[in-house]
Amino acid sequence: MSGINSFSAGYDNVNEATAERSSWRRRTRKRVAIITFSSVLLAIIVVAAVVGTKASRSKKDDEPVAAATPTSVVKMTCSVVPYTDTCVQSFSNLTDPDHATPEQLFTLTLQIAMNDLVGIAGIPGQLAARVNDTKLKQALTNCQTFIDDSIYYVNSSISAVNA
C-alpha cells in the first residue's frame, strides 16, 4: 500500500510541474501577443505621423507665404490680451512699429513692462502708510518687494538684450 501512496505523491508533483509549465507558457504567449500588438500599433502611428507631416508640408509649399510686417506682429501679439487697443497704443507711443526689427519689438515689450512697473512702484508704500492693520501692511510690504524685484529682473533683461 505504501507503494501506491508514493506513486500518487510523485504523480501529483508531475501534475504541478506540468501545470506550472503550461501557466508559464500561457503568460509568455500573452506577453508576446501584447508586445507584438504594441509594436504594430507604434509602427502605424509613426507611419501616420510621417505621412501627415509630408502632406502638410506639401500643402504649405504650394501656398505663398505673406511676409509678416512688424505692425501685423504687434496686432497679432496684442490680440490675445484683454485690452487690445491699449496694447497697440503702448507700442505706437514708443516707436514706429513699421520700421522695427523683432529684437526691437522685444526690447519695446520689456520697456513697456518697465514703464508700467515704475508707474505702480510707489502705490503699495502709499497704501501701507494709510492703514493700521498689521497683516495688511505686511501684505503691502510683500507686494512692494515683488514689484521692486520685478523692476530689477526686467531691467536685467533689458541690459542683457542690449549687451
Side-chain angles (χ1 to χ4, degrees):
M1 201 55 141
S2 72
I4 294 174
N5 287 340
S6 67
F7 176 74
S8 67
Y11 184 72
D12 288 340
N13 289 339
V14 171
N15 281 342
E16 288 176 11
T18 305
E20 195 174 306
R21 267 188 258 131
S22 78
S23 172
W24 181 79
R25 283 185 195 139
R26 266 186 264 124
R27 287 189 307 234
T28 302
R29 273 188 241 130
K30 190 175 181 180
R31 287 181 187 142
V32 169
I34 289 171
I35 290 171
T36 303
F37 177 74
S38 299
S39 299
V40 169
L41 185 63
L42 178 65
I44 290 171
I45 290 171
V46 168
V47 168
V50 168
V51 169
T53 303
K54 284 198 174 244
S56 75
R57 281 189 184 161
S58 66
K59 287 180 185 176
K60 286 181 183 175
D61 291 342
D62 296 342
E63 299 171 2
V65 178
T69 63
T71 303
S72 66
V73 171
V74 168
K75 287 180 181 176
M76 201 174 2
T77 304
C78 289
S79 68
V80 296
V81 298
Y83 302 105
T84 305
D85 296 334
T86 306
C87 178
V88 172
Q89 182 76 23
S90 296
F91 277 101
S92 63
N93 285 344
L94 291 176
T95 187
D96 181 20
D98 286 329
H99 302 292
T101 64
E103 292 84 12
Q104 290 171 334
L105 289 175
F106 180 69
T107 304
L108 286 176
T109 59
L110 291 174
Q111 289 174 349
I112 291 168
M114 178 63 80
N115 292 344
D116 290 342
L117 285 169
V118 169
I120 64 167
I123 295 174
Q126 293 170 359
L127 291 175
R130 295 183 191 168
V131 295
N132 294 327
D133 186 11
T134 57
K135 289 183 180 181
L136 185 56
K137 278 189 179 194
Q138 183 60 41
L140 289 168
T141 302
N142 289 342
C143 184
Q144 182 68 52
T145 303
F146 291 140
I147 291 172
D148 292 341
D149 289 346
S150 298
I151 290 172
Y152 172 78
Y153 288 122
V154 171
N155 198 19
S156 296
S157 297
I158 290 172
S159 298
V161 168
N162 291 334

